[in-house]
Amino acid sequence: NVLLKVLPKLRLNPKRRAATAGLGKQRRRVLAMELKRWGQLARLHRAALEREEGQRAAFLQEACAGDEELRREVESLLG
């Protein structure tokens, strides 16, 4: 999956932090939150794929704990 290959590269390592220094504190904070969200999405996607297709909906309902947007995002990746 392309998403799972790209996510590790997006982490804010020291070089990437330097590259984002000009963005401003608020934008860096937003970027960090987005990266955290993508990491959460990738972990749930991977965990859902490990389950049988018939068990995925129940798993996501519990794992997303009421975050319907997150659940829909993972479901869209699952096809």
Side-chain angles (χ1 to χ4, degrees), residues 46-61:
R46 209 171 20 252
L49 286 174
E50 293 173 358
R51 286 157 174 78
E52 292 185 29
E53 200 168 329
Q55 297 174 335
R56 292 177 184 169
F59 164 74
L60 289 175
Q61 188 68 32

Side-chain angles (χ1 to χ4, degrees), residues 1-7 10 34-50 53 56-57 59-60 64 68-79:
N1 189 328
V2 174
L3 174 65
L4 299 178
K5 291 179 183 177
V6 171
L7 284 175
L10 295 177
E34 289 173 0
L35 291 174
K36 182 179 177 182
R37 181 69 166 196
W38 277 104
Q40 185 180 23
L41 179 64
R43 283 188 301 277
L44 285 171
H45 179 257
R46 209 171 20 252
L49 286 174
E50 293 173 358
E53 200 168 329
R56 292 177 184 169
F59 164 74
L60 289 175
C64 293
E68 293 301 311
E69 181 181 355
L70 179 61
R71 183 185 55 76
R72 283 191 302 270
E73 289 174 4
V74 176
E75 286 177 343
S76 73
L77 291 173
L78 293 170

